[in-house]
Amino acid sequence: MAKLVEESHPALHTIAEEVTPEEFSNGFLKKLVKDMKSALHSYNVEGFTAVAIAAPQIGISKRVFLVEDQSEDRDSLPSLVAVNPSIIKHSKKTHVVGEGCLSVPDRYGAVKRHKNVTFKALDENGEEYERGAGGLLAQIIQHETDHLDGILFVDRAEKVWNKGEVSDKELTEAGNE
Ligand code: ZN
């Protein structure tokens, strides 16, 4: 089973490669997405579930991330798979938001993000789509796109805490992707 790699793994600090047409057709992408989902679902620490994962987080240096909210809240996030994604527009407005990461399990940070983004990507079948995102989803898209460029939130954060220093409530409210 695919597992999350440690923070020091080179895939987390390298610009990932695009998925090729061959990798769509030969089953590589399909298996990668399956492995990413199982790694995402396996993460449950002290009741926190994860909502997104990028391929480098399981040690595969490929430009793929997915969002899958396992909570059953009314305003849960959409499920999406983004292959070779790029952010094509972002709002000038930024805000500083709380952020965590499966690959940096012991820390938590305050990161400046654009409030809204528009991105395009291929889905699992190689069909191109484009969508806008605001709020938490916009934050996740920026966080996951950073993973594909070898950037962790701690590289960008204005402030970083050890998780023991913040309350559970704050962590839950800010999300943990
Ligand atoms: Zn992350």
Side-chain angles (χ1 to χ4, degrees), residues 87-96 112-118 133 138 142:
I87 292 173
I88 53 177
K89 260 192 284 186
H90 59 72
S91 61
K92 281 209 184 96
K93 277 198 177 162
T94 57
H95 54 170
V96 175
K112 190 189 272 184
R113 297 291 188 189
H114 299 289
K115 282 192 167 175
N116 295 282
V117 297
T118 302
Q142 292 167 84

Side-chain angles (χ1 to χ4, degrees), residues 53-68:
I53 188 168
Q57 295 183 273
I58 58 166
I60 306 293
S61 195
K62 282 283 170 183
R63 303 189 78 80
V64 183
F65 70 76
L66 61 89
V67 178
E68 196 174 85

Side-chain angles (χ1 to χ4, degrees), residues 2-6 9-12 28 32 36 39 53-62 103:
K3 283 204 303 196
L4 293 164
V5 297
E6 297 206 359
H9 194 288
L12 289 171
F28 172 87
L32 176 58
M36 288 166 66
I53 188 168
Q57 295 183 273
I58 58 166
I60 306 293
S61 195
K62 282 283 170 183
S103 305

Side-chain angles (χ1 to χ4, degrees), residues 125-155:
N125 303 312
E127 298 290 330
E128 190 175 279
Y129 67 94
E130 184 179 314
R131 73 173 288 164
L136 180 58
L137 184 60
Q139 181 188 350
I140 291 170
I141 302 300
Q142 292 167 84
H143 178 110
E144 299 307 322
T145 304
D146 275 352
H147 272 305
L148 308 183
D149 291 328
I151 299 166
L152 296 176
F153 81 91
V154 287
D155 301 328

Side-chain angles (χ1 to χ4, degrees), residues 13-144:
H13 306 277
T14 308
I15 295 178
E17 287 180 10
E18 297 223 322
V19 173
T20 63
E22 200 202 355
E23 288 166 337
F24 274 100
S25 57
N26 67 10
F28 172 87
L29 179 72
K30 208 173 158 198
K31 177 163 190 309
L32 176 58
V33 168
K34 198 170 155 230
D35 287 348
M36 288 166 66
K37 282 185 182 172
S38 78
L40 184 68
H41 294 168
S42 71
Y43 181 84
N44 184 334
V45 175
E46 292 158 16
F48 295 118
T49 56
V51 293
I53 188 168
Q57 295 183 273
I58 58 166
I60 306 293
S61 195
K62 282 283 170 183
R63 303 189 78 80
V64 183
F65 70 76
L66 61 89
V67 178
E68 196 174 85
D69 194 349
Q70 298 162 78
S71 72
E72 278 158 29
D73 290 356
R74 209 171 38 148
D75 32 66
S76 61
L77 297 158
S79 291
L80 59 92
V81 174
V83 181
N84 301 342
S86 54
I87 292 173
I88 53 177
K89 260 192 284 186
H90 59 72
S91 61
K92 281 209 184 96
K93 277 198 177 162
T94 57
H95 54 170
V96 175
V97 282
E99 208 152 301
C101 180
L102 301 177
S103 305
V104 189
D106 56 336
R107 276 162 294 155
Y108 188 66
V111 187
K112 190 189 272 184
R113 297 291 188 189
H114 299 289
K115 282 192 167 175
N116 295 282
V117 297
T118 302
F119 71 101
K120 65 173 186 178
L122 304 175
D123 68 14
E124 268 183 280
N125 303 312
E127 298 290 330
E128 190 175 279
Y129 67 94
E130 184 179 314
R131 73 173 288 164
L136 180 58
L137 184 60
Q139 181 188 350
I140 291 170
I141 302 300
Q142 292 167 84
H143 178 110
E144 299 307 322

